[in-house]
Amino acid sequence: SILGRLNVPEATLQKFLNQEATLQVVLPKNRIDVFNNPLTYFEELEREFPKQYAALKIFYETQAKERHQIDVNELFQRLWPVGWKEQRAFKKFLKSQTLGRVSSDYAALAKSDPRLASFLKAQYLLAYGKFNEAPFHFQVSELFNPGDGEIFNVVGGINTLKNMLLERVQNHEGSLRKKTVINGLLYRKGVFEGVFLDESQGNLLSKYLIWNTSLKRLSELLPKKWRFRKIKKACDHVTTDFQWFTTRLTVDVKYLPESLKTNAVLIGDPGQPLTGDNLLYVQIDREKQESVATLDVHFLLPSSALSFSDEDFLPYFENIRARLLEILPFSEKSLKLVFPCKIDQQSMDTLFPVQEN
């Protein structure tokens, strides 16, 4: 829907939606390709989980039914109620739509088999960015609705989506700045108007800003005015139990199996928490004419890991490399860690050595 409003060509959208598989989940004894086509996806589930297939099919069909019973447009219109009348009407709406009900179907399915539990939790984590043992049935129906659920249309093609957005930005004579630090936000009469980069690059006027940073950083840049006090307070109070960390490796294209998709989730032990090297989200970028492919590997660690030293991460990098070698046979000499690189691997013969301030 968003891409359509940005005038992304229909042919580009259809090519994206008709990908062979948007996401692949690899467990020790299972491999499930999450297809856009529900019928093909059900075939995957029946092959990998024959004993649980009947319950799985009922689960997905139930989610589709419940999802279409919820008036999502009205829900979005009622969000952020102002005044006691709107708040009262919002509470009545939540109650009438039973949006506060915890999904018993999800809980029952997760308890039936550790593999299914990890399979569902990994998808929930990628879509909502958090763990949730007892999600609301609305969240579950929105995510696990075969045909147009979030997991089928968004998670699998994150690199493709980025490229579409960047192409639209440049097509409309927008500005694409890489490796740029934002030093300030520009407002006029309380309305966001753009950003201040630095003395050399100056101001950049825009209506929207796609920004990859923490909310605390946003709080520091908001104007020190009374009208922004609530949003500043909200930013300062946001805390997370876990953080995503990323490492990058390269490997010769010839070692990538044909069955390996561009977005893969690797789960080591379904019975263990999906953190550390037990859950790896791998994005594979392989260009047709290039001989080397790039693997961006994302993994979760407690927020305390933000204060880790470089040496503290080395065991994780070694374990990640070992996990990748399991699905990339014969690539041991080709698989190389390129980010982050060790200090002694950084070039010192530059005009301004990178180790110096």
Side-chain angles (χ1 to χ4, degrees):
S1 175
I2 293 172
L3 292 173
R5 294 179 190 181
L6 291 173
N7 296 321
V8 172
E10 184 64 24
T12 306
L13 282 174
Q14 290 305 317
K15 182 181 177 181
F16 169 61
L17 293 174
N18 293 327
Q19 290 182 98
E20 182 185 356
T22 58
L23 182 69
Q24 186 177 65
V25 182
V26 182
L27 292 94
K29 296 183 179 180
N30 304 89
R31 191 194 80 194
I32 306 104
D33 292 343
V34 181
F35 287 89
N36 283 322
N37 186 338
L39 296 178
T40 313
Y41 178 55
F42 283 149
E43 291 176 1
E44 290 278 305
L45 295 178
E46 186 174 17
R47 184 192 69 231
E48 298 297 332
F49 302 109
K51 294 181 180 179
Q52 296 86 3
Y53 176 67
L56 272 169
K57 196 166 187 299
I58 293 173
F59 169 76
Y60 279 99
E61 289 173 347
T62 302
Q63 304 320 309
K65 181 181 177 182
E66 291 199 351
R67 167 63 182 80
H68 291 292
Q69 289 176 344
I70 298 169
D71 190 340
V72 180
N73 288 329
E74 187 175 354
L75 170 63
F76 289 158
Q77 289 171 9
R78 290 182 179 276
L79 288 177
W80 307 107
V82 178
W84 67 271
K85 285 187 177 180
E86 287 189 15
Q87 291 177 4
R88 182 179 168 186
F90 185 47
K91 288 180 180 178
K92 283 186 176 181
F93 174 77
L94 294 178
K95 189 174 181 179
S96 65
Q97 298 274 330
T98 65
L99 293 178
R101 177 167 59 86
V102 171
S103 176
S104 56
D105 298 335
Y106 177 89
L109 205 57
K111 289 178 181 178
S112 66
D113 190 315
R115 297 173 305 157
L116 275 180
S118 61
F119 177 54
L120 297 176
K121 287 177 182 178
Q123 294 179 73
Y124 192 99
L125 171 65
L126 291 180
Y128 292 125
K130 63 184 294 185
F131 292 112
N132 193 343
E133 296 295 335
F136 295 124
H137 84 286
F138 170 68
Q139 294 170 311
V140 174
S141 63
E142 186 77 9
L143 177 59
F144 298 101
N145 170 20
D148 59 357
E150 291 294 332
I151 198 68
F152 293 91
N153 294 332
V154 176
V155 172
I158 216 155
N159 281 332
T160 310
L161 285 171
K162 284 182 181 178
N163 291 333
M164 284 188 203
L165 289 169
L166 294 178
E167 188 272 334
R168 284 292 93 191
V169 168
Q170 292 170 319
N171 184 68
H172 290 285
E173 300 181 353
S175 176
L176 176 61
R177 306 288 178 93
K178 293 184 178 181
K179 298 180 181 178
T180 299
V181 177
I182 294 175
N183 290 313
L185 302 181
L186 305 177
Y187 285 86
R188 178 177 292 181
K189 297 181 179 180
V191 178
F192 173 71
E193 196 174 52
V195 296
F196 168 69
L197 300 178
D198 54 40
E199 295 296 339
S200 61
Q201 299 185 73
N203 295 337
L204 183 65
L205 300 182
S206 61
K207 289 185 178 180
Y208 306 100
L209 176 69
I210 301 174
W211 193 12
N212 178 6
T213 191
S214 70
L215 284 176
K216 290 188 183 298
R217 172 69 174 140
L218 173 62
S219 174
E220 295 168 2
L221 296 179
L222 287 171
K224 294 178 173 57
K225 294 184 178 180
W226 182 253
R227 70 180 69 175
F228 291 98
R229 71 191 188 284
K230 285 188 177 180
I231 195 169
K232 286 174 68 73
K233 188 176 180 181
C235 291
D236 292 336
H237 282 79
V238 170
T239 58
T240 56
D241 297 325
F242 295 92
Q243 293 279 346
W244 283 106
F245 292 83
T246 300
T247 182
R248 172 172 288 183
L249 301 96
T250 58
V251 68
D252 287 348
V253 172
K254 63 182 179 181
Y255 294 114
L256 295 177
E258 285 295 324
S259 58
L260 187 62
K261 307 304 178 186
T262 55
N263 290 269
V265 176
L266 311 182
I267 298 174
D269 184 349
Q272 297 299 317
L274 300 180
T275 56
D277 50 40
N278 194 41
L279 179 138
L280 305 178
Y281 177 34
V282 187
Q283 294 176 298
I284 303 166
D285 186 8
R286 46 180 163 187
E287 298 293 337
K288 291 182 179 179
Q289 299 177 350
E290 296 291 335
S291 60
V292 177
T294 301
L295 310 179
D296 288 330
V297 184
H298 313 282
F299 57 104
L300 276 175
L301 291 177
S303 295
S304 57
L306 289 170
S307 60
F308 276 10
S309 65
D310 293 345
E311 289 73 20
D312 292 331
F313 283 102
L314 293 180
Y316 291 103
F317 296 153
E318 290 298 323
N319 291 341
I320 288 171
R321 190 172 187 276
R323 291 284 309 283
L324 291 175
L325 287 174
E326 293 175 5
I327 62 171
L328 304 174
F330 314 113
S331 66
E332 186 167 0
K333 293 183 179 179
S334 174
L335 190 63
K336 298 177 182 178
L337 181 74
V338 294
F339 174 81
C341 58
K342 295 181 180 178
I343 295 297
D344 55 7
Q345 293 177 337
Q346 296 181 6
S347 175
M348 295 300 296
D349 58 350
T350 57
L351 180 60
F352 302 103
V354 293
Q355 287 179 317
E356 295 182 10
N357 191 331

mmCIF file of all heavy atoms in Angstrom, residues 18 20 26 30 36 106 123 165 173 178 185 246 316 349:
data_model
loop_
_atom_site.group_PDB
_atom_site.id
_atom_site.type_symbol
_atom_site.label_atom_id
_atom_site.label_comp_id
_atom_site.label_asym_id
_atom_site.label_seq_id
_atom_site.Cartn_x
_atom_site.Cartn_y
_atom_site.Cartn_z
ATOM 1 N N ASN A 18 5.696 -11.584 -6.368
ATOM 2 C CA ASN A 18 5.696 -12.917 -6.962
ATOM 3 C C ASN A 18 7.036 -13.620 -6.848
ATOM 4 O O ASN A 18 7.324 -14.549 -7.594
ATOM 5 C CB ASN A 18 5.289 -12.832 -8.441
ATOM 6 C CG ASN A 18 3.835 -12.401 -8.603
ATOM 7 O OD1 ASN A 18 2.989 -12.727 -7.785
ATOM 8 N ND2 ASN A 18 3.559 -11.647 -9.649
ATOM 9 N N GLU A 20 9.800 -16.151 -5.629
ATOM 10 C CA GLU A 20 9.612 -17.573 -5.346
ATOM 11 C C GLU A 20 9.360 -17.804 -3.852
ATOM 12 O O GLU A 20 8.486 -18.561 -3.472
ATOM 13 C CB GLU A 20 10.847 -18.355 -5.800
ATOM 14 C CG GLU A 20 10.701 -19.848 -5.593
ATOM 15 C CD GLU A 20 11.974 -20.582 -5.922
ATOM 16 O OE1 GLU A 20 12.940 -19.938 -6.389
ATOM 17 O OE2 GLU A 20 12.019 -21.791 -5.711
ATOM 18 N N VAL A 26 15.447 -22.059 8.566
ATOM 19 C CA VAL A 26 16.205 -23.307 8.593
ATOM 20 C C VAL A 26 16.420 -23.739 10.034
ATOM 21 O O VAL A 26 17.060 -23.030 10.812
ATOM 22 C CB VAL A 26 17.569 -23.143 7.878
ATOM 23 C CG1 VAL A 26 18.326 -24.468 7.873
ATOM 24 C CG2 VAL A 26 17.376 -22.627 6.463
ATOM 25 N N ASN A 30 14.650 -29.189 9.727
ATOM 26 C CA ASN A 30 13.557 -28.655 8.909
ATOM 27 C C ASN A 30 14.029 -27.466 8.088
ATOM 28 O O ASN A 30 14.929 -26.735 8.518
ATOM 29 C CB ASN A 30 12.377 -28.207 9.785
ATOM 30 C CG ASN A 30 11.859 -29.307 10.674
ATOM 31 O OD1 ASN A 30 12.338 -29.474 11.796
ATOM 32 N ND2 ASN A 30 10.897 -30.064 10.193
ATOM 33 N N ASN A 36 4.585 -16.436 -0.852
ATOM 34 C CA ASN A 36 3.446 -15.529 -0.932
ATOM 35 C C ASN A 36 2.158 -16.285 -1.213
ATOM 36 O O ASN A 36 1.076 -15.872 -0.815
ATOM 37 C CB ASN A 36 3.668 -14.497 -2.045
ATOM 38 C CG ASN A 36 4.632 -13.408 -1.618
ATOM 39 O OD1 ASN A 36 4.603 -12.980 -0.476
ATOM 40 N ND2 ASN A 36 5.492 -12.984 -2.507
ATOM 41 N N TYR A 106 -2.448 -19.332 19.289
ATOM 42 C CA TYR A 106 -0.992 -19.179 19.167
ATOM 43 C C TYR A 106 -0.280 -19.907 20.304
ATOM 44 O O TYR A 106 0.689 -20.637 20.088
ATOM 45 C CB TYR A 106 -0.632 -17.695 19.170
ATOM 46 C CG TYR A 106 0.849 -17.391 19.116
ATOM 47 C CD1 TYR A 106 1.498 -17.261 17.890
ATOM 48 C CD2 TYR A 106 1.590 -17.219 20.276
ATOM 49 C CE1 TYR A 106 2.856 -16.966 17.833
ATOM 50 C CE2 TYR A 106 2.946 -16.941 20.231
ATOM 51 C CZ TYR A 106 3.569 -16.811 19.008
ATOM 52 O OH TYR A 106 4.918 -16.527 18.963
ATOM 53 N N GLN A 123 9.309 -15.466 13.368
ATOM 54 C CA GLN A 123 8.549 -14.607 12.459
ATOM 55 C C GLN A 123 7.987 -13.400 13.214
ATOM 56 O O GLN A 123 7.999 -12.265 12.713
ATOM 57 C CB GLN A 123 7.405 -15.402 11.828
ATOM 58 C CG GLN A 123 7.887 -16.514 10.908
ATOM 59 C CD GLN A 123 6.722 -17.281 10.323
ATOM 60 O OE1 GLN A 123 6.018 -16.794 9.459
ATOM 61 N NE2 GLN A 123 6.519 -18.494 10.808
ATOM 62 N N LEU A 165 12.512 2.043 -2.501
ATOM 63 C CA LEU A 165 12.353 3.364 -1.891
ATOM 64 C C LEU A 165 13.417 4.331 -2.385
ATOM 65 O O LEU A 165 13.123 5.490 -2.703
ATOM 66 C CB LEU A 165 12.415 3.238 -0.364
ATOM 67 C CG LEU A 165 11.207 2.578 0.299
ATOM 68 C CD1 LEU A 165 11.503 2.274 1.757
ATOM 69 C CD2 LEU A 165 9.979 3.464 0.202
ATOM 70 N N GLU A 173 13.717 13.451 -7.777
ATOM 71 C CA GLU A 173 14.776 14.438 -7.560
ATOM 72 C C GLU A 173 15.067 14.641 -6.082
ATOM 73 O O GLU A 173 15.407 15.741 -5.633
ATOM 74 C CB GLU A 173 14.415 15.777 -8.227
ATOM 75 C CG GLU A 173 14.221 15.661 -9.734
ATOM 76 C CD GLU A 173 13.881 16.990 -10.378
ATOM 77 O OE1 GLU A 173 13.677 17.969 -9.633
ATOM 78 O OE2 GLU A 173 13.828 17.055 -11.610
ATOM 79 N N LYS A 178 24.785 9.294 1.941
ATOM 80 C CA LYS A 178 25.309 8.151 2.683
ATOM 81 C C LYS A 178 26.400 8.615 3.636
ATOM 82 O O LYS A 178 27.109 9.581 3.371
ATOM 83 C CB LYS A 178 25.862 7.103 1.718
ATOM 84 C CG LYS A 178 24.793 6.439 0.851
ATOM 85 C CD LYS A 178 25.401 5.338 -0.015
ATOM 86 C CE LYS A 178 24.313 4.642 -0.831
ATOM 87 N NZ LYS A 178 24.877 3.556 -1.676
ATOM 88 N N LEU A 185 17.616 19.102 13.749
ATOM 89 C CA LEU A 185 16.353 19.034 13.030
ATOM 90 C C LEU A 185 15.811 20.447 12.858
ATOM 91 O O LEU A 185 15.930 21.282 13.764
ATOM 92 C CB LEU A 185 15.336 18.186 13.797
ATOM 93 C CG LEU A 185 15.742 16.737 14.090
ATOM 94 C CD1 LEU A 185 14.628 16.024 14.841
ATOM 95 C CD2 LEU A 185 16.064 15.989 12.810
ATOM 96 N N THR A 246 25.093 -6.598 14.048
ATOM 97 C CA THR A 246 25.288 -7.056 12.674
ATOM 98 C C THR A 246 26.763 -7.272 12.380
ATOM 99 O O THR A 246 27.610 -6.479 12.805
ATOM 100 C CB THR A 246 24.723 -6.025 11.671
ATOM 101 O OG1 THR A 246 23.334 -5.850 11.906
ATOM 102 C CG2 THR A 246 24.934 -6.500 10.235
ATOM 103 N N TYR A 316 31.306 -14.757 19.433
ATOM 104 C CA TYR A 316 30.073 -14.758 18.637
ATOM 105 C C TYR A 316 30.403 -14.844 17.150
ATOM 106 O O TYR A 316 29.757 -15.583 16.402
ATOM 107 C CB TYR A 316 29.249 -13.505 18.926
ATOM 108 C CG TYR A 316 28.662 -13.468 20.313
ATOM 109 C CD1 TYR A 316 29.222 -12.689 21.312
ATOM 110 C CD2 TYR A 316 27.531 -14.231 20.625
ATOM 111 C CE1 TYR A 316 28.691 -12.661 22.591
ATOM 112 C CE2 TYR A 316 26.984 -14.205 21.902
ATOM 113 C CZ TYR A 316 27.566 -13.426 22.879
ATOM 114 O OH TYR A 316 27.046 -13.408 24.145
ATOM 115 N N ASP A 349 48.437 3.128 5.840
ATOM 116 C CA ASP A 349 49.175 3.956 4.898
ATOM 117 C C ASP A 349 48.290 5.005 4.251
ATOM 118 O O ASP A 349 48.371 5.278 3.059
ATOM 119 C CB ASP A 349 49.848 3.084 3.828
ATOM 120 C CG ASP A 349 48.830 2.239 3.086
ATOM 121 O OD1 ASP A 349 47.671 2.203 3.538
ATOM 122 O OD2 ASP A 349 49.196 1.613 2.068
#
